Amino acid sequence: MSSNASDSRETTTVSPGRRDDVALSVEGLRRSFGGITAVNGTSFDVKDGSLTGLIGPNGAGKSTTFDLVTGFTEADAGTVSLYGQDVSGLHPYQLVERGLVRTFQTPRELAQMTVEENLTIAPQNQTGENFLYSVLPGLRKRVTVEEDSVKERAREMMSLFDIEHLASERAENLSGGQRKLLALARALMTDPDVLLLDEPFAGVNPTLQERLLEHLRQLNADGYTILLIEHDMEVIMDNCEHVLVMHQGSILTQGTPDQVRNDEQVIDAYLGGSA
Ligand SMILES: Nc1ncnc2c1ncn2[C@@H]1O[C@H](COP(=O)(O)OP(=O)(O)O)[C@@H](O)[C@H]1O
Ligand SMILES: [Mg+2]
């Protein structure tokens, strides 16, 4: 999938601080809501091809960081770079076109539509449905021009996630776990390079969680760069090569699972709650 796309990016104009192995770089991101500073000068890099974890107590600013990185919320300050190119301030759909896609903590599929429609529907008729527009912008062209190829990719995704039998089922009838599979399938419809996943296992039973994890490991092995927010420390520790720890709006520390696990600051942050 993305190796050619990544290769072609090697020759694009780069910012001075660029490192070739960095897929996503965030510098000094900041965002307040009224009196609450949700994200307070967050900086980190996500290595190309890595499966990186983002953890931290409730309210640490993880989801808001995803919102800022993916253009769903405007930042007060800071920059975001994708493969060395400054993409700060771009809209979600523009970022999807550049290979960055995210899923939400609470799935946002269209409840009244079938699984297949959720994967293929053209967003131009969805005025106001910003999330769909942003998740499936690549389809705007393809649905009209290459409808068959969109359907074919949707079938591929349903097959990959073993939800073909649910193709004609309305999304509202899916279990929590099936919705998470659908969310991941939708994200992959646009063939991204970098996937930001916000608690993809929340509300998923252990069997399906293991299946989802297997998918993520396989996607990562296939070359996708994945940044994963997950509250279950063990899942992060067992699967991520690098872990970012957020606390009160900024990165408290980062390192390998072992380094992070034994870090006093991390233990204190979790024991102390998010206050
Ligand atoms: N749209 C918003 N309006 C007001 N406060 C917000 C908004 N989004 C997030 N927050 C606040 O920002 C802080 C960080 O939230 P969030 O990013 O969801 O944390 P996490 O995902 O780490 O649990 C919390 O205090 C939350 O209440
Ligand atoms: Mg969150």
Side-chain angles (χ1 to χ4, degrees):
M1 43 130 264
S2 59
S3 60
N4 286 341
S6 298
D7 288 346
S8 69
R9 286 186 172 110
E10 300 294 336
T11 58
T12 54
T13 315
V14 298
S15 57
R18 181 189 173 188
R19 297 204 347 256
D20 277 347
D21 61 345
V22 175
L24 175 69
S25 185
V26 167
E27 191 66 48
L29 268 193
R30 195 178 301 276
R31 171 70 201 214
S32 299
F33 299 102
I36 297 169
T37 302
V39 173
N40 189 13
T42 298
S43 302
F44 60 85
D45 287 343
V46 176
K47 198 173 161 223
D48 191 26
S50 71
L51 177 42
T52 298
L54 176 57
I55 64 171
N58 253 336
K62 306 181 296 294
S63 293
T64 305
T65 296
F66 272 19
D67 293 340
L68 297 174
V69 168
T70 55
F72 281 85
T73 297
E74 207 177 321
D76 295 333
T79 57
V80 179
S81 308
L82 196 59
Y83 295 101
Q85 293 197 312
D86 190 343
V87 294
S88 314
L90 293 191
H91 294 289
Y93 71 91
Q94 293 173 308
L95 291 165
V96 172
E97 282 170 358
R98 285 160 195 249
L100 177 70
V101 75
R102 59 89 59 91
T103 63
F104 291 87
Q105 193 167 346
T106 308
R108 298 190 175 188
E109 76 290 324
L110 297 169
Q112 311 283 322
M113 292 199 186
T114 68
V115 166
E116 187 172 25
E117 285 164 347
N118 265 284
L119 294 173
T120 58
I121 205 78
Q124 61 262 41
N125 298 326
Q126 304 292 323
T127 313
E129 308 262 26
N130 283 335
F131 60 94
L132 187 61
Y133 184 61
S134 62
V135 171
L136 301 173
L139 299 180
R140 292 170 68 220
K141 288 162 253 149
R142 285 191 249 149
V143 162
T144 48
V145 181
E146 301 175 56
E147 191 164 349
D148 288 350
S149 75
V150 173
K151 285 198 165 160
E152 192 180 310
R153 179 147 183 96
R155 274 192 291 273
E156 269 174 39
M157 290 301 119
M158 287 189 281
S159 162
L160 176 65
F161 293 106
D162 224 359
I163 52 175
E164 289 157 302
H165 60 293
L166 300 170
S168 305
E169 194 67 63
R170 282 181 175 207
E172 64 190 351
N173 296 331
L174 301 185
S175 70
Q178 289 167 335
R179 285 182 191 203
K180 294 287 189 176
L181 287 172
L182 176 57
L184 196 51
R186 284 182 85 199
L188 288 168
M189 279 297 291
T190 58
D191 196 19
D193 297 315
V194 181
L195 279 163
L196 306 190
L197 307 177
D198 195 347
E199 302 204 16
F201 312 118
V204 174
N205 73 53
T207 310
L208 192 51
Q209 173 169 327
E210 194 40 55
R211 247 180 71 202
L212 261 169
L213 260 171
E214 189 51 49
H215 280 303
L216 294 194
R217 285 190 288 259
Q218 188 56 52
L219 290 168
N220 183 234
D222 289 345
Y224 289 87
T225 302
I226 299 175
L227 179 60
L228 173 68
I229 296 178
E230 169 56 36
H231 67 268
D232 185 336
M233 279 273 223
E234 286 313 306
V235 168
I236 291 283
M237 297 299 169
D238 290 349
N239 293 283
C240 295
E241 61 203 72
H242 191 76
V243 184
L244 307 164
V245 185
M246 247 190 127
H247 183 48
Q248 295 178 347
S250 54
I251 301 296
L252 178 69
T253 187
Q254 58 181 296
T256 63
D258 275 339
Q259 286 168 340
V260 162
R261 200 197 315 260
N262 297 314
D263 191 308
E264 288 289 337
Q265 292 184 91
V266 176
I267 296 162
D268 288 349
Y270 273 90
L271 292 180
S274 58

